[in-house]
Amino acid sequence: MTVLPQEMRPQRVPPREISHDDLQLLRLLATGLPMDAVARRLQLSERTVRRRTRLICDRLGFSTAIEAIVWAARRGLV
């Protein structure tokens, strides 16, 4: 495993900056539901779910939803 220098590591926000809605979205994604099913459950469009997922990843400093889900799971958030 390669360890990146501090300046190259993604900047992650503290969990308190993850909203309840963000966590709800991450929890549904963590169950393995596809985006369209998550959208139906949240009563949102699939496009909105994809956009919100991208915003969560950007805020946390991750490039994929999987990374954000793993991060949240390791902290007991999902």
Side-chain angles (χ1 to χ4, degrees):
M1 178 179 201
T2 304
V3 177
L4 294 173
Q6 182 66 34
E7 64 274 4
M8 293 179 65
R9 293 181 195 162
Q11 298 301 311
R12 293 180 177 76
V13 297
R16 67 181 177 275
E17 295 194 24
I18 303 294
S19 73
H20 173 74
D21 291 340
D22 292 344
L23 285 175
Q24 184 180 23
L25 177 58
L26 286 176
R27 285 182 184 120
L28 288 172
L29 291 173
T31 67
L33 287 173
M35 289 281 185
D36 61 330
V38 171
R40 281 193 302 275
R41 291 227 182 150
L42 296 175
Q43 298 180 341
L44 300 169
S45 72
E46 185 175 347
R47 182 177 178 184
T48 298
V49 169
R50 289 186 185 283
R51 183 175 48 80
R52 284 183 52 195
T53 302
R54 176 80 262 134
L55 290 171
I56 292 167
C57 289
D58 289 347
R59 193 174 322 124
L60 294 173
F62 295 115
S63 56
T64 68
I66 299 295
E67 291 172 314
I69 292 165
V70 169
W71 176 86
R74 287 183 176 164
R75 283 155 182 77
L77 300 173
V78 297

